[in-house]
Amino acid sequence: MKKKTVLIITVQKAPNFGACLQAYALWKYIEQRGLDCKVIDLLRPYHKGFIYTKGFDPLNKYERNWLLNIRIKYIRPFKRYLKKILSVKKQKNNDGLSKRVLSRYEIFLFEKFNNNISYTKTYKSIGDLYKNPPKADIYITGSDQLWNPTQPYSLEPYFLTFVNNGGKRYSYATSIGVSVLSEHTKKLFSKWLIGYDMISVRETEAVHIIKSITNKKIIRCCDPTFLFPGEYWMQMATDRIIKERYIFVFSLDYDQRLLEYATSIQNTNKCKIISYQTCYKKTDANKFNLEMIENVGPVEWLSLINNAEFVLTNSFHGSVFSLLLHTPFRVAISNNRGSRIISLLKDVGLEHLLLTEKNNNPDIPEIDFEKSDSNIKHMSDFGKNYLNKILS
């Protein structure tokens, strides 16, 4: 009997730990069920070789206020032009480490991990994908923030509008990542979602938003990384990287609160503070006695979480893997990632782990991981049942 073919479209081959791990998890679960599954290798603007297709533009300008659009469209290009004609060169590491370019070895580590996944041929442009779309029995919009209208690339392909062979269309735990959509975006989402046979999203807010613009039944499922237990991810992690006891600060953007909090509990717990070398400056490292580390890929990142005494983060997946690997943590809200983090904490009954001005006692919180594991198993079983239903 011929195997069913499944194609996933998601944020693939990204230099981002959570994105890599969620893409792997969804692909691996389906592959383990004996189906012929691949991830569509559609390049995005930051991928080498990407080719722009006219008419497929980001929606983010419709989600920003008029002043920010003016800054992005006119002021920022003018500043870049001035720097160019004045020969002002931006140093990669200048006084600090923000927006650091990945080293060749780090690129290798990401590529090594991503090569575990099976992919279609590479589509360098959206136009190429629509002109010659891959054929399958089932198409799935994967997880991560594929429907977040603030993304800096076109979202339309992630609504499977390129499918033209009658294949079934589904989504699994797709994230919107924001609490409000503009009227322009709502109209497009409504049109693009018509062809879906079933829709699953990740956040509670996303259920209400999508339901209001489609009149379809919307199902909420957990992130695909929850489809596998903590033991699975623990076995994937590398050996311990830091020999001493440490607090791991993992921040997706500059957040001094995390460093201040880490410092407040460092002495009483006799731990060093480490951070992946991304967004903090050299001056922060000196001020907060912070040790920067580099040459970290997805499995090394898992090791850093797994072996930490405590994790401080503003990352959704930083929270997810702290839960799965039973590492005490606190999480802060930063930028537009609040809805999915709050939904996650409510799901596992750990809302007290949200770091706020009122909830910032300088201690490592005690966590009933047995209770959170029970809640995660319920979420995981529900997600598996949904996937098994659409794949059968």
Side-chain angles (χ1 to χ4, degrees):
M1 183 177 177
K2 184 180 177 181
K3 289 184 179 180
K4 278 188 178 180
T5 54
V6 181
L7 290 175
I8 300 168
I9 190 163
T10 188
V11 177
Q12 92 294 352
K13 296 183 179 179
N16 176 288
F17 305 118
C20 289
L21 291 163
Q22 66 81 26
Y24 169 83
L26 184 56
W27 168 81
K28 188 65 177 179
Y29 180 81
I30 297 172
E31 189 261 350
Q32 283 186 345
R33 281 185 48 81
L35 285 80
D36 181 7
C37 183
K38 292 182 179 180
V39 171
I40 297 174
D41 193 18
L42 174 64
L43 301 189
R44 294 179 298 285
Y46 59 77
H47 285 130
K48 185 178 180 180
F50 168 79
I51 300 172
Y52 167 73
T53 300
K54 186 176 181 180
F56 288 93
D57 299 305
L59 292 172
N60 48 22
K61 67 179 181 180
Y62 298 102
E63 306 302 317
R64 301 185 294 246
N65 63 48
W66 64 272
L67 183 58
L68 183 55
N69 275 321
I70 289 175
R71 286 176 58 192
I72 291 172
K73 188 173 182 179
Y74 299 107
I75 298 176
R76 290 180 185 175
F78 181 68
K79 286 183 177 179
R80 288 195 293 268
Y81 173 73
L82 280 180
K83 287 181 179 180
K84 183 177 180 180
I85 63 175
L86 294 174
S87 298
V88 178
K89 295 183 179 180
K90 183 178 180 181
Q91 297 179 359
K92 290 180 181 178
N93 278 327
N94 203 6
D95 177 45
L97 303 162
S98 60
K99 298 183 179 178
R100 185 177 61 86
V101 177
L102 292 180
S103 69
R104 289 185 179 181
Y105 187 65
E106 286 168 322
I107 293 172
F108 164 75
L109 291 175
F110 274 97
E111 289 179 346
K112 181 180 178 182
F113 178 82
N114 289 329
N115 285 339
N116 291 309
I117 300 172
S118 296
Y119 299 94
T120 64
K121 76 165 196 173
T122 299
Y123 292 90
K124 294 183 178 181
S125 71
I126 295 175
D128 186 21
L129 174 65
Y130 278 75
K131 184 178 179 180
N132 186 27
K135 307 300 181 184
D137 299 307
I138 298 170
Y139 297 83
I140 299 177
T141 297
S143 188
D144 223 326
Q145 298 191 63
L146 298 173
W147 293 346
N148 185 332
T150 67
Q151 296 284 21
Y153 49 83
S154 173
L155 298 190
E156 183 172 347
Y158 301 95
F159 287 84
L160 300 173
T161 57
F162 58 85
V163 176
N164 63 6
N165 67 331
K168 296 289 186 179
R169 285 180 263 186
Y170 304 98
S171 68
Y172 179 78
T174 308
S175 177
I176 291 180
V178 296
S179 301
V180 180
L181 297 178
S182 70
E183 290 304 315
H184 175 85
T185 298
K186 285 181 180 179
K187 289 179 182 178
L188 289 176
F189 277 25
S190 179
K191 179 176 70 173
W192 293 340
L193 287 165
I194 289 174
Y196 276 79
D197 294 274
M198 291 181 70
I199 299 173
S200 159
V201 294
R202 191 160 63 190
E203 307 97 347
T204 302
E205 288 182 336
V207 171
H208 301 308
I209 292 172
I210 298 299
K211 188 174 182 179
S212 70
I213 60 177
T214 62
N215 292 319
K216 290 176 178 281
K217 181 180 179 181
I218 311 300
I219 299 170
R220 183 166 173 256
C221 289
C222 63
D223 187 86
T225 53
F226 282 124
L227 297 174
F228 295 91
E231 293 80 8
Y232 180 89
W233 299 111
M234 195 177 297
Q235 291 173 5
M236 182 178 289
T238 59
D239 293 335
R240 188 181 183 104
I241 299 171
I242 308 296
K243 293 182 180 180
E244 303 93 334
R245 298 173 72 244
Y246 63 90
I247 297 167
F248 182 35
V249 177
F250 179 67
S251 182
L252 295 176
D253 44 35
Y254 187 85
D255 194 335
Q256 187 170 310
R257 293 174 301 169
L258 299 181
L259 296 182
E260 291 172 345
Y261 190 86
T263 302
S264 70
I265 63 175
Q266 178 185 24
N267 294 331
T268 56
N269 291 277
K270 296 181 180 180
C271 296
K272 66 193 306 183
I273 304 173
I274 67 166
S275 180
Y276 176 59
Q277 195 168 335
T278 51
C279 58
Y280 290 117
K281 299 178 181 179
K282 188 175 180 179
T283 51
D284 294 310
N286 294 334
K287 180 179 179 181
F288 295 100
N289 194 25
L290 176 66
E291 181 179 323
M292 302 291 192
I293 60 171
E294 54 184 6
N295 294 333
V296 175
V299 294
E300 290 78 17
W301 183 73
L302 288 175
S303 174
L304 289 170
I305 293 176
N306 185 41
N307 293 293
E309 300 297 318
F310 181 51
V311 171
L312 271 168
T313 188
N314 55 19
S315 156
F316 173 80
H317 281 107
S319 304
V320 165
F321 284 101
S322 295
L323 284 167
L324 287 169
L325 297 171
H326 289 188
T327 302
F329 72 102
R330 285 195 189 276
V331 57
I333 299 298
S334 178
N335 290 338
N336 64 347
R337 289 180 287 272
S339 62
R340 56 183 184 155
I341 289 174
I342 291 171
S343 290
L344 172 63
L345 294 178
K346 287 181 178 179
D347 287 338
V348 295
L350 296 174
E351 295 97 319
H352 68 283
L353 298 182
L354 187 64
L355 185 63
T356 65
E357 290 184 3
K358 294 181 179 180
N359 183 28
N360 60 355
N361 292 332
D363 60 6
I364 295 179
E366 293 186 5
I367 300 175
D368 185 349
F369 283 112
E370 185 175 342
K371 181 179 179 181
S372 64
D373 281 346
S374 176
N375 291 328
I376 289 171
K377 185 178 186 305
H378 176 76
M379 293 158 52
S380 178
D381 289 344
F382 187 86
K384 289 176 183 178
N385 289 336
Y386 172 83
L387 282 171
N388 295 342
K389 181 176 181 180
I390 69 176
L391 295 172
S392 62

